[in-house]
Amino acid sequence: MALKSFIEVHPDCHFPIQNLPFGVFRPEQGSAPRPGVAIGDYVLDLSEIASAGLFDGPILNNSDCFSEPNLNKFLALGRPAWKEARATLQRLLSSTEPALRDNGALRKKSFLPMDKAEMLLPVAVGDYTDFFSSMHHAKNCGTIFRGPQNPIPPNWFHIPIAYHGRASSIVISGTDIIRPRGQGQPTGNSPPYFGPSLKLDFELEMAAFVGPGNELGKPVDVNEAADHIFGLVLMNDWSARDIQAWEYVPLGPFLGKSFGTTISPWIVTLDALEPFSCDAPKQDPPPLPYLAEKISKNYDIALEVQIKPAGHKDSCVVTRSNFNNLYWTLTQQLAHHTVNGCNLRPGDLLGTGTISGPEPESLGCLLELTWNGQKPLSLNGINRKFLEDGDEVTFSGFCKGNGYTVGFGTCRGKIVPSSS
Amino acid sequence: MALKSFIEVHPDCHFPIQNLPFGVFRPEQGSAPRPGVAIGDYVLDLSEIASAGLFDGPILNNSDCFSEPNLNKFLALGRPAWKEARATLQRLLSSTEPALRDNGALRKKSFLPMDKAEMLLPVAVGDYTDFFSSMHHAKNCGTIFRGPQNPIPPNWFHIPIAYHGRASSIVISGTDIIRPRGQGQPTGNSPPYFGPSLKLDFELEMAAFVGPGNELGKPVDVNEAADHIFGLVLMNDWSARDIQAWEYVPLGPFLGKSFGTTISPWIVTLDALEPFSCDAPKQDPPPLPYLAEKISKNYDIALEVQIKPAGHKDSCVVTRSNFNNLYWTLTQQLAHHTVNGCNLRPGDLLGTGTISGPEPESLGCLLELTWNGQKPLSLNGINRKFLEDGDEVTFSGFCKGNGYTVGFGTCRGKIVPSSS
Ligand SMILES: [Ca+2]
Ligand SMILES: [Ca+2]
Ligand SMILES: [Mg+2]
Ligand SMILES: [Mg+2]
Ligand code: NI
């Protein structure tokens, strides 16, 4: 309740002692990547805390997982290790615990001002899967791409639909996104368009990092699926709508997506999100037994997208949505993913799909917001159908607690021109 | 021409000195994985050859790539290193070169009878992509899934269509395949079918291993794409047709594929395949400039599928096809994959798609061979619509040279029942 850190944290700051999200950073150029947690305006270097012998619980006691250049080994250890790490860190950072607070030498080498840290991908992603779990998004896309009769395919209400995405092009927040080139639908008898995408878009998503995962051939029960989800990040699934529309029949999106996917650097754990859990929507028709869960949870996470148009100083809010707009839960997604025996590995990434809400102001991408470019959006007087070179897109997300905020920071990327 | 090894090799053996495919093996249970090449009935241990200082060329001289547990580091070095390794090994293994031939101690520790070696995945696969490059297969599937009017979607003749596959469930030849469970199309108003797949199939494919790959945002020119392909393996893209048919609209195949993909253990290099290159088919309409290549190559690789039905001793040939049935070339596939800036990494795997020929005896999967189960196949008097538990499927592939064979060995898997 009144848990407080000796590090001062403003009530609006995303990183109080109640949060403690995990990431990987470099304290200076050329130094080795290492795990850290965010606390207030600082990053706490977990490799230093581990070296000092302060992870003294039974699981992490003898582990070298915090000397690794990514969190995969920590994720492989599973929920008991995650809970132990969180408990240890909440104790060490609390205002009443002297071990770190009163050790000046250790404080000096283990805290870095956040603005000095270079944040890196926190995890080596083995496989990346993107779901399609907002009904509003499915309905709008279906209407735009396939027409208003039956916009949502009949399988959608039975299956948490997903596709395999591209792992290699996942980048960390702040990385520029090069406008992809590719083919677009031909008009009449002419050959297809080829050139820089004319319909570059963002998709407002969140994504779950998996650990420890399952063996090939051994599905995860939906009621145990939460034990395989470490935490969440913000994700921008950049999408080239013209490339996607021309290529996606019959095998799904490919080059319209694989040029870049941006994630936020701090993984907020399910344990930190637990106070903000809420009921998932009632599902009708009822899900098949393998997807019917005893407790069906969503999370109340406020999401916002801002665009700073090329050459301008001010950002403009273009959408406000919420994680609780998802129809299929994270645990249903994970159970479905493994029901055929498919193995998940520590560090796999599961995107939720674009999180659109029911209101016109809560749509999660420009395709929906501008109705495929038919109704331009006004950003403080500047018109946008799709993203232009120089536009910068920033997502943020947070949960509001009593006197504190559990947040995700931001997920940001700027569009730069095609290289040739 | 008359290149001969001091290791005796039968003219029908797949692994003469002209081939020298790369793999990864364990000499005995519990020992460390290491790279090897196949020669006759032996595996040559490259870690021993490297330790003995016999890789004395300018690139491999100081490399530790053959002490790795996979070939990724070797693949990252690129074609000059691959050519150097091949030249060194052809010299060392030739009948006229004493360095290895006359060194009894080194021969003893570096050669292992092939039937004693446990073959492993040769590469840690980062991303796996599956193309759809046989026109016959595209036409047949389109007719079966979507009807005879316009069975091939209009984009197919402009785009080497592909989707992202699942990297985690790629397994080595010989691994049992557990029948996946999943949802199938509902009939009438009843809920969808759920249970073990009733339409389990194989797909006859080959796949290319990528090296060294490209940076994000830097497409590979189609005329330089061959420098990013190390070599080929046989691949069985096991497919559950009932799961696939119900899930694939609109985002493509997912659980109908991700339960397992089998590859053969020996990567046959493009250099070994070069004598068997042939013209690719003329493409009409002409491809867009970024896919128009100066030399458009296929390879004359004879492919065969055998099924040994559950409880029987004899295998039965069910199809004979050829790699040269592909419409889109490997180099076009790779150039297309990167044209949007998507980065390929050493060890990525690019499947060709099912290699069906034009004749009824050359179709690459049971979906086509039995026309979705409507015309059962007779295997020595035993009827099959789709694969049953206990069925074993074996692919083989080879190129016939003058007095020798450059082959891929086999790619094999047996179906075992769903676990629950
Ligand atoms: Ca998406
Ligand atoms: Ca396939
Ligand atoms: Mg993307
Ligand atoms: Mg497969
Ligand atoms: Ni992947």
Side-chain angles (χ1 to χ4, degrees):
Chain A
M1 211 54 272
L3 190 59
K4 256 189 79 96
S5 175
F6 60 83
I7 301 285
E8 211 177 327
V9 180
H10 189 275
D12 288 336
C13 173
H14 282 197
F15 307 122
I17 192 168
Q18 289 83 358
N19 190 351
L20 302 183
F22 289 76
V24 166
F25 73 106
R26 241 196 265 276
E28 50 197 62
Q29 252 204 336
S31 61
R34 66 203 64 191
V37 300
I39 176 79
D41 297 330
Y42 293 88
V43 178
L44 178 66
D45 185 334
L46 298 186
S47 73
E48 294 290 354
I49 298 300
S51 295
L54 294 179
F55 283 109
D56 53 3
I59 305 172
L60 295 171
N61 195 9
N62 283 309
S63 170
D64 60 354
C65 66
F66 295 131
S67 335
E68 295 278 313
N70 56 50
L71 292 167
N72 294 61
K73 205 164 178 176
F74 179 52
L75 266 55
L77 294 175
R79 185 157 306 283
W82 309 338
K83 281 199 180 288
E84 184 179 305
R86 178 172 170 82
T88 300
L89 291 166
Q90 279 195 330
R91 179 171 47 75
L92 284 174
L93 287 166
S94 81
S95 54
T96 56
E97 164 74 30
L100 178 57
R101 185 192 65 195
D102 299 347
N103 184 337
L106 182 58
R107 279 183 69 153
K108 193 160 174 203
K109 60 181 174 182
S110 61
F111 285 102
L112 186 78
M114 197 176 275
D115 56 10
K116 294 267 185 291
E118 182 195 356
M119 297 308 298
L120 305 169
L121 283 180
V123 165
V125 178
D127 280 292
Y128 153 47
T129 300
D130 199 16
F131 284 84
F132 188 50
S133 290
S134 148
M135 187 172 60
H136 311 291
H137 177 65
K139 185 174 174 189
N140 292 329
C141 292
T143 306
I144 291 167
F145 280 137
R146 291 177 296 279
Q149 40 337 335
N150 307 313
I152 304 184
N155 57 8
W156 195 90
F157 289 97
H158 298 281
I159 299 177
I161 294 284
Y163 67 101
H164 297 116
R166 180 80 194 172
S168 69
S169 53
I170 296 171
V171 298
I172 197 70
S173 178
T175 308
D176 285 344
I177 296 295
I178 301 171
R179 180 179 297 273
R181 297 181 307 155
Q183 297 191 28
Q185 196 105 30
T187 44
N189 283 324
S190 56
Y193 168 80
F194 181 78
S197 169
L198 303 174
K199 291 189 172 181
L200 188 50
D201 201 355
F202 63 82
E203 286 193 331
L204 172 61
E205 305 199 20
M206 297 195 74
F209 274 109
V210 172
N214 61 306
E215 266 177 73
L216 191 58
K218 304 250 166 83
V220 175
D221 186 280
V222 70
N223 293 307
E224 286 157 23
D227 283 343
H228 295 273
I229 301 173
F230 174 63
L232 299 180
V233 290
L234 302 167
M235 184 173 96
N236 186 341
D237 176 21
W238 303 96
S239 298
R241 302 303 183 187
D242 42 356
I243 298 174
Q244 183 184 351
W246 172 229
E247 76 178 353
Y248 88 104
V249 173
L251 300 184
F254 183 54
L255 300 190
K257 301 281 192 176
S258 63
F259 56 93
T261 303
T262 306
I263 62 171
S264 58
W266 294 111
I267 310 176
V268 178
T269 63
L270 284 202
D271 290 320
L273 292 171
E274 186 53 34
F276 310 98
S277 67
C278 55
D279 286 344
K282 189 171 152 44
Q283 297 178 330
D284 179 27
L288 286 175
Y290 81 94
L291 294 173
E293 47 191 350
K294 286 181 191 134
I295 302 168
S296 204
K297 250 183 220 179
N298 253 347
Y299 296 93
D300 179 10
I301 305 171
L303 300 169
E304 187 181 272
V305 179
Q306 302 202 10
I307 297 180
K308 189 163 77 174
H312 290 75
K313 279 203 178 132
D314 295 324
S315 286
C316 192
V317 175
V318 298
T319 207
R320 287 199 174 90
S321 185
N322 194 301
F323 186 87
N324 69 18
N325 282 313
L326 295 175
Y327 181 90
W328 294 104
T329 65
L330 294 175
T331 39
Q332 288 178 318
Q333 292 173 358
L334 192 139
H336 180 67
H337 203 317
T338 66
V339 73
N340 70 340
C342 180
N343 55 330
L344 301 178
R345 296 178 293 189
D348 285 349
L349 190 67
L350 309 184
T352 57
T354 305
I355 306 176
S356 292
E359 304 86 12
E361 309 80 32
S362 65
L363 302 172
C365 59
L366 290 173
L367 179 75
E368 293 172 80
L369 285 164
T370 72
W371 212 252
N372 200 14
Q374 290 175 45
K375 303 183 304 181
L377 208 62
S378 170
L379 313 178
N380 296 332
I382 300 148
N383 269 2
R384 278 293 179 275
K385 294 176 173 176
F386 287 98
L387 296 170
E388 301 196 0
D389 292 344
D391 285 356
E392 187 179 69
V393 180
T394 302
F395 296 175
S396 60
F398 63 85
C399 308
K400 207 71 205 164
N402 190 359
Y404 67 95
T405 306
V406 166
F408 290 80
T410 59
C411 176
R412 186 190 307 259
K414 195 171 79 181
I415 306 301
V416 300
S418 294
S419 32
S420 91
Chain B
M1 210 55 274
L3 189 61
K4 257 190 79 96
S5 175
F6 60 83
I7 302 284
E8 212 177 325
V9 181
H10 187 275
D12 288 335
C13 172
H14 283 197
F15 307 122
I17 192 169
Q18 289 82 0
N19 190 350
L20 302 184
F22 289 78
V24 166
F25 73 105
R26 241 196 264 275
E28 50 197 61
Q29 252 203 335
S31 61
R34 66 203 64 191
V37 299
I39 175 80
D41 297 328
Y42 293 88
V43 179
L44 178 66
D45 185 333
L46 298 186
S47 73
E48 294 290 353
I49 298 300
S51 294
L54 294 178
F55 283 108
D56 54 3
I59 304 172
L60 296 170
N61 198 9
N62 283 309
S63 170
D64 59 356
C65 66
F66 295 130
S67 335
E68 295 278 314
N70 57 49
L71 292 167
N72 294 60
K73 204 162 178 177
F74 178 52
L75 266 55
L77 294 174
R79 186 158 303 286
W82 310 338
K83 281 196 180 289
E84 184 180 305
R86 178 172 171 83
T88 299
L89 291 167
Q90 280 196 329
R91 178 172 49 73
L92 284 175
L93 288 165
S94 82
S95 54
T96 55
E97 166 74 30
L100 177 57
R101 184 192 67 196
D102 298 348
N103 183 338
L106 183 58
R107 279 182 67 154
K108 195 163 171 196
K109 60 181 174 181
S110 61
F111 284 103
L112 186 79
M114 196 175 275
D115 56 13
K116 294 265 185 292
E118 182 197 356
M119 299 308 299
L120 305 169
L121 283 181
V123 166
V125 177
D127 280 293
Y128 152 48
T129 301
D130 199 17
F131 284 84
F132 188 51
S133 291
S134 149
M135 185 171 62
H136 312 292
H137 176 66
K139 186 175 173 187
N140 292 328
C141 293
T143 306
I144 291 166
F145 279 136
R146 290 176 296 279
Q149 43 330 339
N150 308 314
I152 305 185
N155 57 8
W156 194 90
F157 290 97
H158 298 281
I159 298 178
I161 294 284
Y163 67 99
H164 297 116
R166 180 80 195 172
S168 70
S169 54
I170 296 171
V171 298
I172 198 69
S173 177
T175 308
D176 286 344
I177 296 295
I178 301 172
R179 180 179 297 273
R181 297 181 307 155
Q183 297 191 27
Q185 196 105 32
T187 44
N189 282 325
S190 55
Y193 168 80
F194 181 79
S197 169
L198 304 173
K199 291 189 170 180
L200 189 51
D201 201 353
F202 64 81
E203 287 194 330
L204 172 61
E205 305 199 22
M206 298 194 74
F209 273 109
V210 172
N214 62 303
E215 266 177 71
L216 191 57
K218 303 251 168 82
V220 175
D221 187 279
V222 70
N223 293 306
E224 285 157 22
D227 284 343
H228 295 274
I229 300 173
F230 175 63
L232 299 180
V233 291
L234 302 167
M235 185 173 95
N236 187 342
D237 176 21
W238 305 96
S239 298
R241 300 306 183 186
D242 42 357
I243 298 173
Q244 184 185 351
W246 173 230
E247 76 179 352
Y248 88 105
V249 173
L251 299 184
F254 182 54
L255 299 189
K257 301 282 192 176
S258 63
F259 57 92
T261 304
T262 307
I263 62 171
S264 57
W266 294 110
I267 309 175
V268 178
T269 63
L270 284 202
D271 290 320
L273 292 171
E274 186 51 35
F276 310 99
S277 67
C278 57
D279 287 344
K282 191 176 151 36
Q283 298 177 329
D284 180 26
L288 287 175
Y290 81 94
L291 294 172
E293 46 191 352
K294 287 182 188 132
I295 301 167
S296 203
K297 250 184 220 176
N298 253 346
Y299 297 93
D300 179 10
I301 306 171
L303 300 169
E304 189 181 270
V305 180
Q306 302 202 11
I307 298 179
K308 190 163 78 175
H312 291 76
K313 280 204 177 126
D314 295 323
S315 286
C316 192
V317 174
V318 297
T319 207
R320 287 199 174 91
S321 185
N322 194 300
F323 185 88
N324 68 19
N325 282 314
L326 295 175
Y327 181 89
W328 294 105
T329 64
L330 294 174
T331 38
Q332 288 177 319
Q333 291 173 358
L334 192 139
H336 179 67
H337 203 317
T338 66
V339 73
N340 69 340
C342 179
N343 54 329
L344 301 178
R345 295 177 294 189
D348 285 350
L349 189 67
L350 308 184
T352 58
T354 306
I355 306 175
S356 294
E359 304 87 12
E361 309 80 33
S362 64
L363 302 173
C365 59
L366 290 173
L367 178 77
E368 292 172 82
L369 286 163
T370 72
W371 212 250
N372 200 13
Q374 290 176 44
K375 303 182 306 182
L377 208 61
S378 170
L379 313 177
N380 297 330
I382 299 147
N383 269 5
R384 278 293 179 277
K385 294 176 175 177
F386 287 99
L387 296 171
E388 300 196 0
D389 291 344
D391 285 356
E392 187 179 68
V393 180
T394 303
F395 296 174
S396 60
F398 63 86
C399 308
K400 207 71 207 167
N402 189 358
Y404 68 95
T405 305
V406 166
F408 289 80
T410 59
C411 176
R412 186 188 308 257
K414 195 171 79 181
I415 306 301
V416 300
S418 293
S419 32
S420 87

